[in-house]
Amino acid sequence: MSGDGTNGDESRRVGRRSRALKAVGLTLAGTLVLAAAAAGWAYWRLNDNITSVDIDSALGDNRPAKATPSPTATAPAEELPTEALNILVLGSDSRSGAENRALGGGESGGARSDTAMVVHLDPGRSAATVVSIPRDTLVTRPSCPLEDGENTSVAHGAMFNSAYAVGGPVCAVKTAESLTDVRMDHYVEIDFAGFARLVDALGGVTVTTEEDIDDEDSHLTLDAGTHHLDGEQALALARTRHGIGDGSDLGRIGLQQLLVKALLEQISSAGLLTDPAKLYRVADAVTGSLTTDTGLDSLTELTRLGRSLRGLSADAVRTVTMPVVPAPSDANRVVADEPEAGELWESLR
């Protein structure tokens, strides 16, 4: 009898262990399924956030030549790219959506390119040059293809930022290439709301201003010194023009370049790889207001680009402004200062 009871107790213990292990296994399997589903949903959402424009098809082959690949650019496709790259980055004052209007986009429809920068990545991608193009620069705006099959007219003495207004990203790229004779390998655009959300997702950004700022248009008032800004304040700083220096666009560009450096520092110190929730918030903020060319219109491509920049520090990023002089026809506008401007663009080819 005792032997039978012992065997029965042992069977019951084995049964309980089996059920417990099964429950643990089911819980683990369920957790993995939920994690995979969450990861899949996050990837789908971030990927779906991105808007793209097929600039290459719209512009065809009548463009500056691509930069000659460096010797290290012949690596297998699965390895990260290392060749030189030029990216036209625009900050647009889009009027679409209540959030953009509240942040200064205005009440009317449409948008303008409020900020224009050419980001040049050196071969190896461990150094970069960011060249700001003043939006008040007078240029010859080329004829640009429109979505309806028509073309815009060539315009002489047009402001650089008018290209985006009349022909969107395609015309912005074509005008930038016409001005610089540099091939824009990629196009990236972020609007008011996206920039503010990015700064907030990073936990703000710290900047040091050398003079007091009091700009009624951007609604920003800051004493000279170091400040930690939230997204709305950082956007106001990027838009400040009349409250600093001589009130020209060149003063605003200086503040924008200050912000670029500060954002790079913040991204480096944010610990994104060890904080998945924060990484997702940052990625959602970036992709939610992002327009790219079709070569960067997926989370996979954007991630690959980001990983290729892992050796790029804020100290290795040089910020400059295209050399300009007052326009002979209008003292409130500028034109490229030659030959200095041409020499700068030549260094990026």
Side-chain angles (χ1 to χ4, degrees), residues 156-206:
H156 299 283
M159 282 176 56
F160 177 80
N161 72 335
S162 69
Y164 183 92
V166 302
V170 170
C171 198
V173 169
K174 188 168 185 178
T175 302
E177 290 184 344
S178 176
L179 172 66
T180 66
D181 197 28
V182 172
R183 172 73 169 243
M184 300 299 149
D185 300 295
H186 289 298
Y187 170 83
V188 173
E189 174 193 334
I190 189 167
D191 65 22
F192 278 3
F195 178 80
R197 284 200 300 267
L198 169 62
V199 173
D200 283 335
L202 287 169
V205 63
T206 300

Coordinates of all heavy atoms in Angstrom, one line a residue, residues 156-206:
H156 N 14.2 84.1 -63.5 CA 15.4 84.7 -63.2 C 15.2 85.7 -62.0 O 14.2 86.3 -61.8 CB 15.9 85.5 -64.4 CG 16.2 84.7 -65.6 ND1 17.3 83.9 -65.7 CD2 15.5 84.5 -66.7 CE1 17.2 83.3 -66.9 NE2 16.1 83.6 -67.5
G157 N 16.2 85.7 -61.1 CA 16.1 86.5 -59.9 C 15.1 86.1 -59.0 O 14.5 87.0 -58.3
A158 N 14.8 84.8 -58.9 CA 13.8 84.3 -57.9 C 14.4 83.9 -56.6 O 15.6 83.5 -56.6 CB 13.1 83.1 -58.5
M159 N 13.7 84.1 -55.5 CA 14.2 83.6 -54.2 C 14.4 82.1 -54.2 O 13.5 81.4 -54.7 CB 13.3 84.1 -53.1 CG 13.5 85.6 -52.7 SD 12.4 86.2 -51.5 CE 12.7 85.0 -50.1
F160 N 15.4 81.6 -53.6 CA 15.7 80.2 -53.5 C 14.5 79.4 -53.0 O 14.1 78.4 -53.5 CB 16.9 79.9 -52.7 CG 17.2 78.4 -52.6 CD1 17.9 77.8 -53.6 CD2 16.9 77.7 -51.4 CE1 18.1 76.4 -53.5 CE2 17.1 76.4 -51.3 CZ 17.7 75.7 -52.4
N161 N 13.9 79.9 -51.9 CA 12.8 79.1 -51.3 C 11.5 79.2 -52.1 O 10.6 78.5 -51.8 CB 12.6 79.6 -49.8 CG 11.9 80.9 -49.7 OD1 12.0 81.8 -50.7 ND2 11.2 81.2 -48.6
S162 N 11.5 79.9 -53.2 CA 10.3 79.9 -54.0 C 10.1 78.6 -54.8 O 9.1 78.3 -55.2 CB 10.3 81.1 -55.0 OG 11.3 81.0 -56.0
A163 N 11.3 77.9 -55.0 CA 11.2 76.7 -55.7 C 10.3 75.7 -55.1 O 9.5 75.0 -55.8 CB 12.6 76.1 -55.9
Y164 N 10.4 75.5 -53.8 CA 9.5 74.6 -53.1 C 8.1 75.0 -53.2 O 7.2 74.2 -53.4 CB 9.9 74.5 -51.6 CG 9.2 73.5 -50.8 CD1 9.6 72.2 -50.7 CD2 8.0 73.9 -50.2 CE1 8.9 71.3 -49.9 CE2 7.2 72.9 -49.4 CZ 7.7 71.6 -49.3 OH 7.0 70.7 -48.6
A165 N 7.8 76.3 -53.1 CA 6.5 76.8 -53.1 C 5.8 76.6 -54.5 O 4.6 76.3 -54.5 CB 6.5 78.3 -52.8
V166 N 6.5 76.7 -55.6 CA 5.9 76.5 -56.9 C 6.0 75.1 -57.4 O 5.1 74.7 -58.2 CB 6.6 77.4 -58.0 CG1 6.4 78.9 -57.5 CG2 8.0 77.1 -58.2
G167 N 6.9 74.3 -56.9 CA 7.1 72.9 -57.5 C 7.4 71.8 -56.5 O 7.8 70.7 -56.9
G168 N 7.3 72.1 -55.2 CA 7.5 71.1 -54.2 C 8.9 70.6 -54.1 O 9.9 71.2 -54.6
P169 N 9.1 69.4 -53.6 CA 10.4 68.8 -53.4 C 11.2 68.6 -54.7 O 12.4 68.8 -54.7 CB 10.1 67.4 -52.7 CG 8.8 67.6 -52.0 CD 8.0 68.5 -52.9
V170 N 10.5 68.2 -55.8 CA 11.2 68.0 -57.0 C 11.9 69.3 -57.5 O 13.0 69.3 -57.9 CB 10.2 67.5 -58.1 CG1 10.9 67.5 -59.5 CG2 9.8 66.1 -57.7
C171 N 11.2 70.4 -57.4 CA 11.7 71.7 -57.9 C 12.8 72.2 -56.9 O 13.7 72.9 -57.3 CB 10.6 72.7 -58.0 SG 11.1 74.2 -59.1
A172 N 12.6 71.9 -55.6 CA 13.6 72.3 -54.6 C 14.9 71.6 -54.9 O 16.0 72.2 -54.9 CB 13.1 72.0 -53.2
V173 N 14.9 70.3 -55.2 CA 16.1 69.6 -55.6 C 16.7 70.1 -56.9 O 17.9 70.3 -56.9 CB 15.8 68.1 -55.7 CG1 17.0 67.3 -56.3 CG2 15.5 67.5 -54.3
K174 N 15.9 70.3 -57.9 CA 16.4 70.8 -59.2 C 17.0 72.2 -59.0 O 18.1 72.4 -59.6 CB 15.3 70.8 -60.2 CG 15.8 71.1 -61.6 CD 14.8 70.8 -62.7 CE 15.4 71.0 -64.1 NZ 14.5 70.7 -65.2
T175 N 16.4 73.0 -58.3 CA 17.0 74.4 -58.1 C 18.3 74.3 -57.3 O 19.2 75.0 -57.6 CB 16.0 75.3 -57.4 OG1 14.8 75.3 -58.2 CG2 16.5 76.7 -57.2
A176 N 18.3 73.5 -56.3 CA 19.6 73.3 -55.5 C 20.7 72.8 -56.4 O 21.8 73.2 -56.3 CB 19.3 72.4 -54.3
E177 N 20.4 71.8 -57.2 CA 21.4 71.3 -58.1 C 21.8 72.3 -59.2 O 23.0 72.4 -59.5 CB 20.9 70.0 -58.8 CG 20.7 68.8 -57.8 CD 20.3 67.5 -58.5 OE1 19.8 67.6 -59.7 OE2 20.4 66.5 -57.9
S178 N 20.9 73.1 -59.6 CA 21.2 74.2 -60.6 C 22.1 75.2 -60.0 O 23.1 75.7 -60.6 CB 19.9 74.8 -61.1 OG 20.2 75.9 -62.0
L179 N 21.9 75.5 -58.7 CA 22.7 76.5 -58.0 C 24.1 76.0 -57.7 O 25.1 76.8 -57.8 CB 22.0 76.9 -56.7 CG 22.7 77.8 -55.7 CD1 23.0 79.2 -56.3 CD2 22.0 77.9 -54.4
T180 N 24.2 74.8 -57.3 CA 25.4 74.2 -56.8 C 26.2 73.4 -57.7 O 27.4 73.2 -57.5 CB 25.1 73.4 -55.5 OG1 24.4 72.2 -55.9 CG2 24.3 74.2 -54.5
D181 N 25.5 72.8 -58.8 CA 26.1 71.8 -59.6 C 26.6 70.6 -58.8 O 27.6 70.0 -59.2 CB 27.3 72.4 -60.5 CG 27.6 71.5 -61.7 OD1 26.7 70.8 -62.2 OD2 28.8 71.5 -62.1
V182 N 25.9 70.3 -57.8 CA 26.2 69.2 -56.9 C 25.0 68.2 -57.0 O 23.8 68.7 -56.8 CB 26.4 69.6 -55.5 CG1 26.5 68.4 -54.5 CG2 27.7 70.4 -55.4
R183 N 25.2 67.0 -57.2 CA 24.1 66.0 -57.2 C 23.6 65.8 -55.8 O 24.3 65.5 -54.9 CB 24.6 64.7 -57.8 CG 23.6 63.5 -57.7 CD 22.5 63.7 -58.7 NE 21.7 62.4 -58.8 CZ 21.6 61.7 -59.9 NH1 22.3 62.1 -61.0 NH2 20.9 60.6 -60.0
M184 N 22.2 66.0 -55.7 CA 21.6 65.7 -54.4 C 21.2 64.2 -54.4 O 20.2 63.8 -55.0 CB 20.4 66.6 -54.2 CG 20.7 68.1 -54.2 SD 21.9 68.5 -52.8 CE 22.8 69.9 -53.6
D185 N 22.0 63.4 -53.7 CA 21.7 61.9 -53.7 C 20.4 61.6 -53.0 O 19.7 60.6 -53.3 CB 22.8 61.2 -53.0 CG 24.2 61.5 -53.7 OD1 24.3 61.0 -54.9 OD2 25.1 62.1 -53.1
H186 N 20.0 62.4 -52.0 CA 18.8 62.2 -51.3 C 18.1 63.5 -50.9 O 18.8 64.5 -50.9 CB 19.1 61.3 -50.0 CG 19.4 59.9 -50.3 ND1 18.6 59.0 -50.9 CD2 20.6 59.2 -50.0 CE1 19.2 57.8 -51.0 NE2 20.4 57.9 -50.5
Y187 N 16.9 63.4 -50.5 CA 16.1 64.5 -50.1 C 15.4 64.2 -48.8 O 14.8 63.1 -48.7 CB 15.0 64.8 -51.2 CG 14.0 65.9 -50.7 CD1 14.3 67.2 -50.8 CD2 12.8 65.5 -50.3 CE1 13.3 68.2 -50.4 CE2 11.8 66.4 -49.9 CZ 12.1 67.8 -50.0 OH 11.2 68.7 -49.6
V188 N 15.4 65.1 -47.8 CA 14.8 64.9 -46.5 C 14.1 66.2 -46.1 O 14.7 67.2 -46.2 CB 15.8 64.5 -45.4 CG1 15.1 64.4 -44.1 CG2 16.4 63.1 -45.7
E189 N 12.8 66.1 -45.7 CA 12.1 67.3 -45.3 C 11.3 67.0 -44.0 O 10.8 65.9 -43.9 CB 11.1 67.6 -46.4 CG 10.1 68.8 -46.0 CD 8.9 68.9 -47.0 OE1 9.1 68.5 -48.2 OE2 7.9 69.3 -46.6
I190 N 11.4 67.9 -43.1 CA 10.7 67.8 -41.8 C 9.9 69.1 -41.6 O 10.5 70.1 -41.8 CB 11.6 67.4 -40.6 CG1 10.8 67.0 -39.4 CG2 12.6 68.5 -40.4 CD1 11.6 66.3 -38.3
D191 N 8.7 69.0 -41.1 CA 7.9 70.2 -40.9 C 8.0 70.7 -39.4 O 8.7 70.1 -38.6 CB 6.5 70.0 -41.3 CG 5.7 69.0 -40.5 OD1 6.1 68.7 -39.3 OD2 4.7 68.4 -41.0
F192 N 7.3 71.8 -39.1 CA 7.3 72.4 -37.8 C 7.1 71.4 -36.7 O 7.8 71.3 -35.7 CB 6.3 73.5 -37.8 CG 6.7 74.8 -38.4 CD1 7.9 75.0 -39.0 CD2 5.8 75.9 -38.3 CE1 8.3 76.2 -39.5 CE2 6.2 77.1 -38.8 CZ 7.4 77.3 -39.4
A193 N 5.9 70.7 -36.8 CA 5.5 69.9 -35.7 C 6.5 68.7 -35.5 O 6.7 68.3 -34.4 CB 4.1 69.3 -36.1
G194 N 7.0 68.2 -36.6 CA 7.9 67.1 -36.5 C 9.2 67.5 -35.8 O 9.7 66.7 -34.9
F195 N 9.7 68.7 -36.1 CA 10.9 69.2 -35.4 C 10.7 69.3 -33.9 O 11.5 68.9 -33.1 CB 11.4 70.5 -36.0 CG 12.6 71.0 -35.3 CD1 13.9 70.6 -35.7 CD2 12.5 72.1 -34.4 CE1 15.0 71.1 -35.0 CE2 13.6 72.6 -33.8 CZ 14.9 72.1 -34.1
A196 N 9.6 70.0 -33.5 CA 9.2 70.2 -32.1 C 9.1 68.8 -31.4 O 9.6 68.7 -30.3 CB 8.0 71.0 -32.0
R197 N 8.4 67.9 -32.0 CA 8.2 66.6 -31.4 C 9.5 65.8 -31.2 O 9.8 65.1 -30.2 CB 7.2 65.7 -32.2 CG 5.8 66.1 -32.0 CD 4.9 65.0 -32.4 NE 5.1 64.6 -33.8 CZ 4.4 65.1 -34.9 NH1 3.4 66.0 -34.6 NH2 4.6 64.7 -36.1
L198 N 10.4 66.0 -32.2 CA 11.7 65.3 -32.1 C 12.5 65.9 -30.9 O 13.1 65.1 -30.1 CB 12.5 65.6 -33.4 CG 14.0 65.2 -33.3 CD1 14.2 63.7 -33.1 CD2 14.7 65.6 -34.6
V199 N 12.5 67.2 -30.7 CA 13.3 67.8 -29.6 C 12.6 67.3 -28.3 O 13.4 66.9 -27.3 CB 13.2 69.3 -29.7 CG1 13.8 69.9 -28.4 CG2 14.0 69.8 -30.9
D200 N 11.3 67.3 -28.2 CA 10.7 66.8 -27.0 C 11.0 65.3 -26.7 O 11.2 64.9 -25.5 CB 9.1 67.0 -27.1 CG 8.8 68.5 -26.8 OD1 9.5 69.2 -26.2 OD2 7.7 68.9 -27.3
A201 N 11.0 64.5 -27.8 CA 11.2 63.1 -27.6 C 12.6 62.8 -27.1 O 12.9 61.9 -26.4 CB 11.0 62.3 -28.9
L202 N 13.6 63.7 -27.4 CA 15.0 63.6 -27.0 C 15.1 64.2 -25.6 O 16.2 64.1 -25.0 CB 15.9 64.4 -27.9 CG 16.1 63.7 -29.3 CD1 16.8 64.7 -30.2 CD2 17.0 62.4 -29.1
G203 N 14.1 64.7 -25.0 CA 14.2 65.3 -23.7 C 14.6 66.8 -23.7 O 15.1 67.3 -22.6
G204 N 14.5 67.4 -24.8 CA 14.9 68.8 -24.9 C 16.3 68.9 -25.5 O 17.0 67.9 -25.7
V205 N 16.8 70.2 -25.6 CA 18.1 70.4 -26.2 C 18.7 71.6 -25.5 O 18.0 72.6 -25.1 CB 18.0 70.6 -27.7 CG1 17.2 71.9 -28.0 CG2 19.4 70.7 -28.3
T206 N 20.0 71.5 -25.2 CA 20.7 72.6 -24.5 C 21.5 73.4 -25.4 O 22.4 72.9 -26.2 CB 21.6 72.0 -23.4 OG1 20.9 71.2 -22.5 CG2 22.4 73.1 -22.6

